[in-house]
Amino acid sequence: MEAKKTPKADLTKKSGMFLNLGLLISVGLTLFAFEYKSYESGELMDLGTVEDDFEELLDIPITEQPPPPPPPVEQPIIEEIPDEVEIEEKIEVNFDVDVQEETVIKEVVIADAPVEEKAEEIFDVVETMPTPPGGMEGWNKYLSKNLKYPTQARRMGIEGTVYVVFVVNTDGSIQDVGILRGIGGGCDEEAMRVVKNAPAWEPGKQRGRPVRVKMRLPIRFKLS
């Protein structure tokens, strides 16, 4: 026959409460064990009063260290200089010089330094170029009238252009006649002769002043 328990006598319903209660008691005992301190019983030792001067040491006034004194200045020693000793010895100076009347002093003549003549500069291009009398038209008339065809060049059938170079001076005269490029057969010499015998040109000018100018002109020889 199976025995039945009454609901009031059934403790299984309160097992959770007992478990929590037991856990709480065990935790409390553990904490108590860690926090419990034991002290030995005995008489307290009288260490007495310790005298200290901490407050006095802390109240140290701040003092500034004065700079070192400057080094002493040495005063210069002034020595007395004795008065100048008078020179008793007398120095005789003789100003008498025998000058004879026959003595003749030669006059020094300073010769002037030789003046170096500077050659006038020759320009290739100036503001106003030299021009022959009557302009280029007058120059062509002069050549056609005075230029002669050389016999040798005529026989050899030589023709062409001879380039002549010359310098027109400040007075319009012509000098330093030369040939830049010739054709031979006597044409070069004939061209130089005509230029040398040409009348004076109008000189070239630079800044309104006559200057020497080098000219280059062609002279053509052509068989008719």
Side-chain angles (χ1 to χ4, degrees), residues 109-185:
V109 179
I110 300 174
D112 295 335
V115 179
E116 296 181 359
E117 296 183 359
K118 296 183 179 180
E120 295 183 8
E121 183 180 359
I122 300 175
F123 294 84
D124 289 330
V125 179
V126 292
E127 296 174 354
T128 304
M129 295 296 293
T131 55
M136 295 309 298
E137 183 179 356
W139 177 251
N140 292 330
K141 290 181 179 180
Y142 168 77
L143 291 179
S144 61
K145 183 179 180 180
N146 296 276
L147 188 64
K148 297 179 180 179
Y149 214 107
T151 304
Q152 182 181 358
R154 187 184 299 274
R155 290 177 180 177
M156 298 176 63
I158 297 174
E159 62 179 6
T161 303
V162 178
Y163 290 88
V164 185
V165 59
F166 55 94
V167 175
V168 180
N169 294 319
T170 56
D171 58 355
S173 60
I174 296 174
Q175 71 175 37
D176 299 337
V177 182
I179 300 296
L180 285 178
R181 189 174 66 184
I183 58 177

